[in-house]
Amino acid sequence: MEERRIAVFGAGYIGLVTGACLAELGHHVTVRDINPERVRILRAGDVPIHEPGLGDVIARNKERLTFTEDLDQAVNGTEIAYVCVDTPPSASGDADLSRVWAVVRSLTAAHDLRAVVMKSTVPVGTGARARVLLDEIGLAHVGYVSNPEFTAEGRAITDFMAPDRIVIGQDNDTAGALVAALHIGINAPVASMDVKSAEMVKLASNALLATKISFANEIATLCENTGADVTEVLGAVGMDHRLGAHFLRPGIGWGGSCFPKDSEALRQMASNTGFHPQLLTAVINVNNIQKRRAIQHLKDELGDLAGKHIALLGMAFKPGTDDMREAPSTVLAGRLLAEGAHVRSWDPLARPAAGEPWDSVSRASTPQQALAGADAAVIVTEWPELTEIDWEQAHSVMRTPVMFDGRNLLDPAHLRGIGFRYTSVGRP
């Protein structure tokens, strides 16, 4: 394998994982970020995000990894530039690509540059606009490649080093082959295609995964209304090799950095072409409703929630991460406060941003502390620590033993046997 000099623009979640893993494959990588505090943390040998194994990979490859704020240091000698900046929704609902264009324009001094690789999630058609911009700024000789990421938080290193596929959208075969060669050492099929198709793959993949979750939640509601058990139903459905069990699990709704943003981006992109994506719109609507159904479960048990003390067990959008982006817990906390409830939360990792609703939520250091004196508890994130609690003891410290298990984490018979008024998602 030929070692390459690579610049990664953006030291966020995707940029750090991409840079660290490319260094693990033997390349020399400079990660550039405009946040001086983030660069300082990385230079000190720490990692500013929680991702299992990432710190070890960075430490193991410290001789091949450089972190900098300096643009000249990043582009000097660089052959391949990865764009890994965020693309948040704009006021119109379209993806804000201002950071993407800023990175592309900054590459004019990269005299050894051979390819620009788009790792950020962008709308279909971004590559064509990038090609025009590269030509305008004197980089017509530089190839453009779309190389979308499919990394899940909590297992990002594994997803990069042992992926289901490597998608490469190319505007010329030379650039595509160059980027494919960067992944030598990874045993995975390479799916080569045009740039627009590669851009669509990422959005379509996340939309289909979100669809499976929303479908599972629709079936769960039907099971609640008919007395069927969603665990048994979807367990058997998932045995069908044509369908598969992955992501076919009901719960309190999906969140995180990808599904909400990418689903909305795909819907907005469709609307911009004059097409109304009815299925995708329904998928998003089901998820929005699902986050609020927990409130109705609590009202069914407690009546008026004003003055009630509610424990939220879990805040991050899923276990194994500290990510609070689009977390269902934020919606739940906001709705409970609007109902006049007092909210106490627990999570082993989550670090919510300042502001409402979290400024009005008290934080417990342990699940037991969150449960003490509570009128009800809601399992929001399926942290394994919650399966290890002495629920009989927890029952004794709660004011009212009401439990809504939003992740179907616990055994209903056991909880009810202890004396809990226990409800879950789609289980009788």
Side-chain angles (χ1 to χ4, degrees):
M1 181 200 73
E2 186 174 357
E3 297 179 5
R4 297 293 184 183
R5 302 196 69 84
I6 300 169
V8 173
F9 288 84
Y13 185 84
I14 297 304
L16 283 180
V17 170
T18 299
C21 289
L22 288 171
E24 180 84 344
L25 290 171
H27 305 291
H28 293 273
V29 182
T30 300
V31 180
R32 192 241 177 171
D33 198 279
I34 60 174
N35 184 328
E37 177 61 14
R38 177 161 291 199
V39 172
R40 184 196 67 76
I41 290 171
L42 289 163
R43 283 177 170 171
D46 296 322
V47 182
I49 61 174
H50 179 82
E51 178 59 39
L54 178 58
D56 293 337
V57 176
I58 290 175
R60 190 163 57 242
N61 293 282
K62 61 183 180 180
E63 299 301 321
R64 287 194 290 266
L65 269 171
T66 302
F67 301 101
T68 186
E69 300 169 59
D70 186 74
L71 175 62
D72 290 338
Q73 184 179 5
V75 300
N76 185 33
T78 289
E79 299 171 88
I80 301 105
Y82 273 79
V83 182
C84 300
V85 295
D86 60 335
T87 54
S90 65
S92 67
D94 297 292
D96 179 357
L97 300 180
S98 58
R99 295 174 181 84
V100 169
W101 304 134
V103 170
V104 174
R105 291 190 182 95
S106 73
L107 298 174
T108 53
H111 303 299
D112 299 307
L113 193 64
R114 298 176 60 187
V116 172
V117 184
M118 186 61 62
K119 206 74 173 173
S120 299
T121 301
V122 295
V124 177
T126 300
R129 294 175 61 190
R131 179 70 271 162
V132 171
L133 180 56
L134 287 168
D135 293 349
E136 288 177 350
I137 62 176
L139 297 177
H141 62 286
V142 174
Y144 179 87
V145 175
S146 174
N147 177 221
E149 54 85 17
F150 303 98
T151 50
E153 293 188 37
R155 49 163 295 137
I157 301 299
T158 298
D159 286 344
F160 190 103
M161 301 301 291
D164 296 320
R165 75 290 201 201
I166 299 168
V167 174
I168 293 180
Q170 56 201 23
D171 66 0
N172 67 71
D173 292 342
T174 301
L178 177 64
V179 174
L182 297 179
H183 297 82
I184 291 175
I186 293 177
N187 183 22
V190 175
S192 296
M193 60 194 72
D194 62 277
V195 171
K196 288 183 178 179
S197 296
E199 292 169 338
M200 182 64 84
V201 168
K202 173 60 188 293
L203 296 172
S205 295
N206 279 348
L208 185 55
L209 292 173
T211 298
K212 292 188 73 173
I213 297 172
S214 285
F215 175 79
N217 282 326
E218 287 273 75
I219 296 301
T221 301
L222 286 173
C223 287
E224 291 174 16
N225 293 341
T226 59
D229 187 332
V230 74
T231 304
E232 301 294 341
V233 172
L234 293 181
V237 169
M239 291 178 182
D240 190 323
H241 71 277
R242 299 168 300 172
L243 303 172
H246 199 48
F247 278 74
L248 203 59
R249 287 188 60 195
I252 214 161
W254 34 264
S257 63
C258 291
F259 285 4
K261 179 173 72 71
D262 292 355
S263 298
E264 288 287 358
L266 188 57
R267 179 165 67 168
Q268 182 68 30
M269 189 178 68
S271 298
N272 291 344
T273 69
F275 169 60
H276 176 64
Q278 297 184 47
L279 177 59
L280 182 58
T281 297
V283 167
I284 294 169
N285 290 342
V286 167
N287 192 63
N288 290 337
I289 292 169
Q290 196 68 17
K291 296 175 184 178
R292 291 163 171 79
R293 293 190 72 241
I295 306 299
Q296 189 57 52
H297 278 280
L298 294 178
K299 286 183 174 181
D300 290 344
E301 294 291 338
L302 299 174
D304 188 356
L305 297 180
K308 299 296 194 301
H309 292 260
I310 311 298
L312 294 183
L313 302 179
M315 297 161 65
F317 86 94
K318 72 173 187 177
T321 180
D322 58 355
D323 198 341
M324 288 289 294
R325 287 175 289 183
E326 301 292 334
S329 63
T330 301
V331 175
L332 288 176
R335 285 300 313 137
L336 288 167
L337 292 170
E339 295 282 345
H342 305 287
V343 183
R344 185 184 299 138
S345 66
W346 166 84
D347 192 285
L349 293 177
R351 293 174 289 181
E356 295 299 332
W358 297 112
D359 284 354
S360 299
V361 174
S362 61
R363 184 80 179 263
S365 58
T366 65
Q368 293 84 349
Q369 186 183 51
L371 291 165
D375 293 293
V378 181
I379 294 182
V380 186
T381 312
E382 58 271 43
W383 286 105
E385 291 93 326
L386 297 177
T387 64
E388 300 165 1
I389 289 177
D390 182 343
W391 285 105
E392 189 167 357
Q393 191 273 336
H395 176 281
S396 69
V397 302
M398 292 180 69
R399 186 157 64 183
T400 312
V402 169
M403 164 75 76
F404 175 65
D405 186 349
R407 297 299 182 183
N408 291 358
L409 182 67
L410 306 177
D411 176 22
H414 176 63
L415 269 291
R416 291 184 185 123
I418 292 171
F420 273 95
R421 288 151 56 185
Y422 175 93
T423 55
S424 54
V425 184
R427 299 191 293 184

